[in-house]
């Protein structure tokens, strides 16, 4: 173990502290980088050019390889001009997520937006039953019968009038309990996956919604915006909307059946 006083002295002399770090010296791209709790999550939103610039075969191989290693890959055909293909990827190792991203790009898909986050247990949900804890840290996706898809990032507002982080914990917990109560009225219509991204991306959370019908997505977001935790304290980023399906179904929709 490195003696702290010796370390301070070495650093003050411009020396290298306590010598080589046996951990960092052996870290390579093959060394997994995993969260201490939960899973890493990567959302990729891509434009897909026409063949031969895009290889559906190569994309299928990249997704199959990740799935064979236990990673979940949820494909979605997106609506609107922002992107064609959405991939939500969940798994333990950030290096593996990066490799999949590279393989997607080599297949010819062009990322136009992305989001990096981690599954988490909210500080306001401490003590939830173990079954709920596992569902939040290790969600099994996509949920059966919920093909409508929506993703958006959000943060808590920090303004002079409404600063979430100036509220005490009990007040914040009270607001979030009420917020969750509204969300639970959509049980059976919506599955909500909230992942944490503070320090990892531009917003503080990523919100992924899976709905039975597209208007379930609309109704859920609309109703929850009236709740005080959202009405006063929420800031939202861009929305990406589409349909979840088997990879071949999604590719056929994106490429007009030519993939």
């Amino acid at each position: 173990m490195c003696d702290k006083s010796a370390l301070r002295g070495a650093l003050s002399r411009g020396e290298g502290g306590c010598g080589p770090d046996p951990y960092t010296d052996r870290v390579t791209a093959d060394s997994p980088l995993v969260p201490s709790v939960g899973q890493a999550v990567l959302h990729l939103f891509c434009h897909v050019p026409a063949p031969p610039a895009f290889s559906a075969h190569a994309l299928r191989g990249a997704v199959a390889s990740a799935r064979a290693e236990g990673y979940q890959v949820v494909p979605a055909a997106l609506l609107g001009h922002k992107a064609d293909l959405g991939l939500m990827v969940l798994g333990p190792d950030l290096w593996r997520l990066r490799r999949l991203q590279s393989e997607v790009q080599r297949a010819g898909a062009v990322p136009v937006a992305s989001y990096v986050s981690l599954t988490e247990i909210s500080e306001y949900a401490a003590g939830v039953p173990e079954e709920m804890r596992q569902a939040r840290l290790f969600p099994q996706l996509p949920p059966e019968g919920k093909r409508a898809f929506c993703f958006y990032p959000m943060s808590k507002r920090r303004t002079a009038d409404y600063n979430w982080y100036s509220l005490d914990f009990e007040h914040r917990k009270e607001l979030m309990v009420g917020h969750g109560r509204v969300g639970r009225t959509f049980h059976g219509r919506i599955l909500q996956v909230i992942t944490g991204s503070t320090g990892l991306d531009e917003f503080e959370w990523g919100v992924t919604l899976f709905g039975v019908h597209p208007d379930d997505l609309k109704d859920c977001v609309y109703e929850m915006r009236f709740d005080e935790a959202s009405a006063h304290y929420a800031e939202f980023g861009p929305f990406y909307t589409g349909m979840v399906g088997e990879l071949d179904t999604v590719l056929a929709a994106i490429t007009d059946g030519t993939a």
Side-chain angles (χ1 to χ4, degrees), residues 9-10 12 14 16-17 35 50 68 77 81 91 124-125 135-136 149 180 192 198 209 216 236 259:
S12 68
H81 76 284
Y124 314 110
R136 295 184 186 189
F149 171 88
Q192 180 175 257
T198 304
L209 302 179
D216 292 329
F236 298 90

Side-chain angles (χ1 to χ4, degrees), residues 96-118:
R96 186 62 183 88
L97 296 187
R98 174 61 248 195
R99 180 153 63 93
L100 176 59
Q101 179 179 332
S102 297
E103 291 167 349
V104 169
Q105 292 175 273
R106 281 198 295 272
V110 181
V112 292
S114 64
Y115 207 77
V116 178
S117 58
L118 305 174

Side-chain angles (χ1 to χ4, degrees), residues 59-99:
L59 183 68
R60 289 188 186 98
V63 170
S65 175
R67 286 174 170 171
E69 295 178 36
Y71 288 71
Q72 296 185 75
V73 183
V74 181
L78 300 180
L79 294 166
H81 76 284
K82 285 180 281 189
D84 303 310
L85 171 67
L87 295 173
M88 180 182 184
V89 190
L90 302 90
D93 183 13
L94 272 65
W95 286 111
R96 186 62 183 88
L97 296 187
R98 174 61 248 195
R99 180 153 63 93

Side-chain angles (χ1 to χ4, degrees), residues 121-220:
I121 298 294
S122 166
E123 61 184 321
Y124 314 110
V128 296
E130 183 61 22
E131 182 178 356
M132 292 179 62
R133 175 182 171 84
Q134 290 299 310
R136 295 184 186 189
L137 292 176
F138 304 99
Q140 299 302 302
L141 302 174
E144 186 176 354
K146 295 180 174 65
R147 296 180 297 161
F149 171 88
C150 174
F151 171 83
Y152 60 93
M154 65 164 295
S155 292
K156 290 301 187 184
R157 186 169 290 150
R158 294 185 296 275
T159 65
D161 293 328
Y162 296 107
N163 187 336
W164 178 258
Y165 294 95
S166 70
L167 303 178
D168 63 54
F169 176 79
E170 291 303 323
H171 190 184
R172 286 183 279 121
K173 182 175 181 179
E174 179 184 353
L175 290 173
M176 291 308 297
V177 168
H179 190 66
R181 191 178 301 118
V182 177
R184 285 192 294 276
T185 65
F186 289 88
H187 178 73
R189 297 172 61 189
I190 291 288
L191 176 70
Q192 180 175 257
V193 180
I194 300 176
T195 51
S197 50
T198 304
L200 303 177
D201 219 311
E202 295 178 11
F203 288 78
E204 296 169 344
W205 291 275
V207 180
T208 308
L209 302 179
F210 299 89
V212 177
H213 305 287
D215 47 318
D216 292 329
L217 304 175
K218 179 179 71 70
D219 292 348
C220 179

